[in-house]
Amino acid sequence: MMSAQDVAAWTWSHASVVTLGLFSLACLLGALQLFRTWRRLRHIPGPFPACITNFHRAYWVTTKRAHLILQDVHEKYGEIVRIGPNTVVFSNPEAIPTVYTARTGFPKSEFYLTLQAYNPNSGALQAIFNTPDEDMHKRLKSPIASLFTPNNVPAYEGRVDEVLALLGARLDEQFLQHDRIFELGSWLQFFAFDVMGTLTFSKRYGFLETGKDVGRMLGTIKDFMRSSAPLTQIAWLDWLLRKNRVGDWLQRHFFTQASMGILGFVGKAIGEKRAALAAAEKAADTNAAAHGGKLGKDFLTHYVELQQNDPQIPPWAPTAWTFSNVIAGSDSVGSLMRTTVFNLLAYPHTLERLYEELRDSVDSSGSGSPFPAYATVRNLPYLDACVQEGIRMHPPFCLPFERVVPRGGVTVLGKFLPEGTVVGGSPYVVNRHRGTFGDDAEFWRPERWLEKGDEHKRKLEQSMLTFGSGRRVCLGRHVGIMEIKKLISFLVLNYDIRIVDPEKFEVENSWFFFQKGLYARIRKRSQTASPST
Ligand code: HEM
């Protein structure tokens, strides 16, 4: 008979053998899985860790310089590179029409789920910008698409003028005296947000009035983007950490749940708007005021009315539409304004040429005081070249725009990508493709848009990814460009602006491209002075 000691030893040795066996099996299955993962896209070159894990590219994002890392990676491995087990990026704009098609069937990846605001009661809020579901996208986009067409853009100009007047007044009273140095970039950001507030809710947020980030809204968006950016690379981690009741509770109690702050703001504005519209219905004479009077309806009035008049549209749609305006249409415009102004100041000969063009056009049209009409500046060649160059150099959304390869696979830049592969281009990298934009693509040179005729210009425009492309191209781009052209012409015509130290200008890529350090001095200029005098 076995003693108790023998039984224990026997059990122990058997348990060890079973554990060892299970461990070996797990290792074998893990290795097999890694091998299969590696094998699937082994024909696409890329850094080794990328073949087996997404943590590598999430780490790149945490450095806040993923755009530069991706540029290096393309430099080393070529125009099509594997950056994740199932993810491939391209740098040559020739791939744009293949990946960003006008048809359905090449949907957005899970990257975009991480940008959805989460509410434990109603789940994740899908917006036009961030839904990968193509049917949902169609449902959300169709009712409002016509509000954003180029023909409709002039309808918003009056509201932009209103905010420009305020910007001018604030710059005059704060910074003209004593040659004061100030961070012009913040004021451009305040302007962009107050314009979007006016266009969307008929209400400024008060950034320009106070010269501050009122209610910490800008800070909240930054927090949201900073926490979301690395998670865009590993969507399941976002689900685990934030998109469930437990994760959400922990975020709220121990971190900031920034998207909720924005949703709270949007929800309050919608409540106020519904109340104003209901009151206006009762009293016909206040109808004009609720609808924006001579300025026309704001976006939110359109959104609420569209939903009220069509039972097919879900009740949460106005929130989703408004969330898109606030998230997609404010920081982005401010960022392009800062890039364009920074480069004009850093390359004064381009500023001088722009000033001359604006002054001549205003002199001949008689529409210049205090800011020219959009019709006057809309098609000015050099202004347009400067704005295009700003759009090219510093895309405000700056990680690859990911799509999922449809059934049957697809060939991109000569490489076959099987069904289910995630593929995208970083706008920063694509916009600096030397074969397309020239050997000096790293530098600010608006002349590149003018020197080879209209057809070449159109080709360059189609080669940029700043606004995305194809079916999911930015809906608000015409509105954004109008704001930028109006702002630049106003500043250049009215002020002599000097940058204090271009080296102080810094950028941070947290999916949104944040910037700081645009220190400047301004003086009022007489209509005849040139920027260099
Ligand atoms: C001028 C600066 C702007 C830039 C650089 C910009 C950029 C972009 C980009 C890159 C996308 C999505 C691309 C993708 O994921 O593939 C997008 C989509 C979108 N943008 Fe903009 N945007 C700007 C201004 C605006 C404005 C002013 C609005 C609203 C008033 C707006 C509303 C939207 C909407 C609704 C979408 C979703 C379109 C869709 O998925 O069908 N954007 N934008």
Side-chain angles (χ1 to χ4, degrees):
M1 233 179 91
M2 284 169 88
S3 70
Q5 242 179 353
D6 291 342
V7 172
W10 185 88
T11 313
W12 172 249
S13 75
H14 272 73
S16 303
V17 169
V18 171
T19 311
L20 198 68
L22 285 177
F23 180 71
S24 307
L25 188 66
C27 286
L28 193 70
L29 289 176
L32 205 65
Q33 180 57 28
L34 281 183
F35 176 73
R36 287 181 55 197
T37 306
W38 165 81
R39 199 167 171 274
R40 191 165 173 273
L41 291 172
R42 66 187 184 285
H43 57 295
I44 313 284
F48 175 70
C51 308
I52 50 173
T53 174
N54 282 315
F55 280 98
H56 195 57
R57 60 189 180 115
Y59 166 72
W60 292 348
V61 175
T62 63
T63 66
K64 302 187 166 78
R65 41 191 305 281
H67 53 296
L68 299 177
I69 296 175
L70 281 178
Q71 247 189 340
D72 288 349
V73 161
H74 279 293
E75 204 62 53
K76 189 161 171 199
Y77 295 98
E79 293 193 332
I80 181 149
V81 179
R82 182 183 194 181
I83 60 159
N86 191 36
T87 307
V88 167
V89 285
F90 64 84
S91 62
N92 188 332
E94 273 174 27
I96 292 176
T98 313
V99 174
Y100 304 100
T101 61
R103 301 178 313 277
T104 51
F106 216 130
K108 287 192 167 187
S109 77
E110 290 181 336
F111 172 108
Y112 293 89
L113 297 180
T114 55
L115 304 170
Q116 296 181 351
Y118 179 80
N119 178 319
N121 299 318
S122 49
L125 175 74
Q126 310 211 38
I128 309 181
F129 181 73
N130 61 27
T131 179
D133 175 339
E134 297 198 315
D135 288 335
M136 174 60 74
H137 173 253
K138 191 166 170 224
R139 275 178 77 198
L140 281 172
K141 183 176 161 184
S142 306
I144 62 164
S146 65
L147 298 176
F148 294 91
T149 57
N151 284 347
N152 264 330
V153 166
Y156 308 119
E157 188 175 357
R159 290 180 189 273
V160 179
D161 285 348
E162 203 181 86
V163 189
L164 266 181
L166 178 63
L167 174 70
R170 297 292 287 135
L171 292 181
D172 290 357
E173 58 189 56
Q174 296 259 319
F175 304 117
L176 285 184
Q177 301 288 324
H178 314 299
D179 238 8
R180 275 188 62 189
I181 294 174
F182 69 108
E183 216 277 302
L184 175 59
S186 301
W187 286 81
L188 300 182
Q189 194 76 342
F190 294 161
F191 171 75
F193 270 82
D194 271 341
V195 167
M196 196 39 74
T198 310
L199 291 177
T200 308
F201 318 107
S202 295
K203 224 169 51 178
R204 289 190 294 271
Y205 301 107
F207 297 135
L208 286 173
E209 269 95 350
T210 58
K212 289 198 187 106
D213 177 6
V214 188
R216 222 184 150 266
M217 184 162 173
L218 307 186
T220 302
I221 293 180
K222 207 180 229 182
D223 291 345
F224 180 51
M225 290 306 154
R226 278 185 176 154
S227 60
S228 303
L231 300 179
T232 58
Q233 311 296 301
I234 312 179
W236 61 263
L237 205 55
D238 173 60
W239 178 85
L240 192 72
L241 297 176
R242 307 196 303 190
K243 301 273 165 58
N244 60 77
R245 282 180 182 275
V246 178
D248 180 69
W249 186 90
L250 290 170
Q251 292 289 333
R252 274 169 210 266
H253 287 80
F254 297 104
F255 306 95
T256 51
Q257 181 56 307
S259 65
M260 287 311 292
I262 306 166
L263 272 186
F265 181 89
V266 166
K268 186 162 167 264
I270 293 178
E272 285 169 9
K273 178 62 73 181
R274 283 194 206 276
L277 288 175
E281 252 169 46
K282 278 194 203 137
D285 55 335
T286 57
N287 207 26
H291 284 62
K294 131 169 142 278
L295 292 174
K297 293 180 190 180
D298 57 35
F299 279 109
L300 186 50
T301 306
H302 283 293
Y303 295 163
V304 171
E305 286 181 350
L306 277 167
Q307 195 271 322
Q308 279 172 350
N309 297 335
D310 183 351
Q312 300 289 331
I313 299 177
W316 49 264
T319 310
W321 291 326
T322 311
F323 190 66
S324 285
N325 276 29
V326 175
I327 287 282
S330 315
D331 245 308
S332 53
V333 177
S335 179
L336 288 182
M337 286 173 179
R338 288 201 275 216
T339 303
T340 311
V341 169
F342 166 74
N343 283 291
L344 283 168
L345 298 179
Y347 296 80
H349 66 285
T350 60
L351 176 60
E352 181 154 358
R353 184 167 170 192
L354 176 60
Y355 175 64
E356 280 163 14
E357 180 188 73
L358 284 167
R359 196 190 49 199
D360 291 351
S361 96
V362 161
D363 283 352
S364 58
S365 71
S367 139
S369 183
F371 20 78
Y374 190 45
T376 308
V377 295
R378 185 176 197 157
N379 295 318
L380 288 180
Y382 199 68
L383 174 64
D384 192 54
C386 291
V387 172
Q388 293 298 342
E389 190 69 344
I391 289 171
R392 184 185 75 80
M393 293 219 56
H394 203 110
F397 302 118
C398 207
L399 291 173
F401 300 152
E402 295 182 2
R403 299 292 187 271
V404 184
V405 172
R407 185 175 301 174
V410 72
T411 300
V412 176
L413 301 177
K415 302 271 189 200
F416 180 74
L417 305 180
E419 173 182 349
T421 305
V422 172
V423 56
S426 151
Y428 187 91
V429 175
V430 171
N431 293 359
R432 288 167 188 241
H433 184 256
R434 286 199 293 275
T436 308
F437 294 96
D439 286 341
D440 58 0
E442 284 298 321
F443 299 96
W444 168 262
R445 196 172 66 82
E447 284 69 18
R448 81 179 79 248
W449 295 89
L450 302 171
E451 57 203 8
K452 291 191 192 155
D454 285 350
E455 202 171 314
H456 180 68
K457 181 169 182 262
R458 250 193 317 279
K459 182 182 167 226
L460 294 190
E461 276 172 19
Q462 287 161 0
S463 301
M464 287 198 295
L465 256 191
T466 302
F467 293 111
S469 187
R471 191 168 179 78
R472 305 298 293 264
V473 70
C474 171
L475 205 51
R477 63 198 185 284
H478 304 296
V479 177
I481 288 177
M482 180 265 285
E483 292 175 46
I484 296 165
K485 287 191 174 174
K486 297 245 347 164
L487 177 275
I488 302 284
S489 7
F490 168 71
L491 284 182
V492 172
L493 277 168
N494 289 286
Y495 298 95
D496 177 8
I497 310 174
R498 309 287 168 105
I499 190 160
V500 177
D501 180 0
E503 298 293 319
K504 288 257 184 298
F505 190 63
E506 286 175 30
V507 301
E508 162 192 332
N509 184 358
S510 289
W511 162 236
F512 276 24
F513 229 151
F514 297 111
Q515 305 142 312
K516 63 179 181 189
L518 178 49
Y519 293 103
R521 290 191 175 92
I522 54 166
R523 286 193 199 139
K524 205 91 177 179
R525 70 159 91 233
S526 78
Q527 285 299 94
T528 48
S530 107
S532 56
T533 54

